[in-house]
Amino acid sequence: MKMYPMLILTVCLSAGCGGAGGSKSAAEGTTPAGTDERKPTATVYDETRKVSLYDPYMQNAQVLTIDCLPGWQLVGKVDMEDFQQANGTPNAQIKGSDGVRQLGFYTEMARSYYDENDGVATGQRHPLLRSMKRPYTTAEDYLQYVVRTQFPHAQSIELKDVQTYDKLPDAMRQRADNYGQLLLRNFQQGIANSVMGSSFAQILNAKADAAAVGCVIKLENGKEVYHLATAYFFILDVRMPYGTMRTIDRRMWNVLELTTFTAADEKSLDLAGAEASHMKGTIQLNPGYIQTITSMQQASIERVRQNVRAGIIRNQQQAARISEQLRQNAAEISDIQMSMYESTSAMQDRVTQLHSEAIREVNPYVSSDGTVVDVPIGSGTQVWSTSDASTILSSDSYFFNPNIGSTIEYQQMQLLR
């Protein structure tokens, strides 16, 4: 297996220097063939041809074009699941095979995943996520998981070589870091522009990663194939709003340019990687399609904002109705108390008044024009007011006099006892 490091180096440098990395292509994350019943939208012939990938959900709008080398057949499709769940963007996928030399490759652009403890109902999870038993914290773990899903019936999967982040070429590490910083900035900007505001979310941890793994796989018919998988990886641990005045810690991990290569032997595997990288380097995205998807995303975000704003307005209106009801109840209680005062003797009226003051924790003060004002107990024994008692000032200081240095005239009020 000495050839694996050389093949990994070739693929990584191609990805980092505009080959596979510049393609922005993508693939389904379950099995190479996928489970979608849609027919292939990109099939090529015996010569190099430019073919297109179309999106059946967007009236067969052209997503991208790619040059296919002689002897290869390409199958492409678009997975709208992430977009429909407002988790990301449409995921374009391309799978290629060479029946003569028994070469194959599989690639996907980008996909977001969530921790299995994110509160999402199991039936609403992404197909890959539904079978996950724990969050994947490294690109190596994730790639080994992908290989197992691509060959679910294999007799054995023998791991021959692993290139983790610290062992990869500088070009691939730099691309992983740049990808991670881009995602982090986008997430931070999304928080800042959200209706709830950035104070409701907190980034706990962010880390970029990348890996390449090489395997020898023994199929159920006893035949052995050589397999290589590469991907960029980004982990984001965040604390996000969850219900009213609650938060939940979520782990999100994003995969960029997941690509796998398959061949009958080591030499052919090297050839598969080189030719697949060449084809991926010819991918041209349709600007009109990207613009349409971006507009749809912005419209979806705006709908969410409008729904949140409408909810806030409804809560405010409900609070206003409750406040008005409390005010009316207080007014009715006051009317009842006044009726009781008028029907009793002066002594009973005074006792009732003192009792009311004690319950309400206020002291009655009277201004020079006879206006009586209830002042909360503990506000101060020196109470002053304007002539119409519209402004009340109080202090515990014996020397308190608001007329000093003031252009407004205040008069001291007397405790009514």
Side-chain angles (χ1 to χ4, degrees), residues 247-284:
T247 59
I248 182 172
D249 291 348
R250 301 178 65 172
R251 164 157 287 174
M252 298 182 290
W253 58 98
N254 296 269
V255 182
L256 176 72
E257 295 181 18
L258 167 66
T259 301
T260 62
F261 308 92
T262 308
D265 52 52
E266 295 181 1
K267 183 178 180 180
S268 298
L269 187 64
D270 193 6
L271 181 62
E275 295 190 0
S277 296
H278 174 81
M279 287 185 285
K280 288 174 61 179
T282 67
I283 289 178
Q284 296 291 329

Side-chain angles (χ1 to χ4, degrees), residues 204-220:
L204 304 178
N205 182 44
K207 179 183 177 182
D209 195 10
V213 299
C215 308
V216 175
I217 300 170
K218 188 174 183 180
L219 304 177
E220 50 187 341

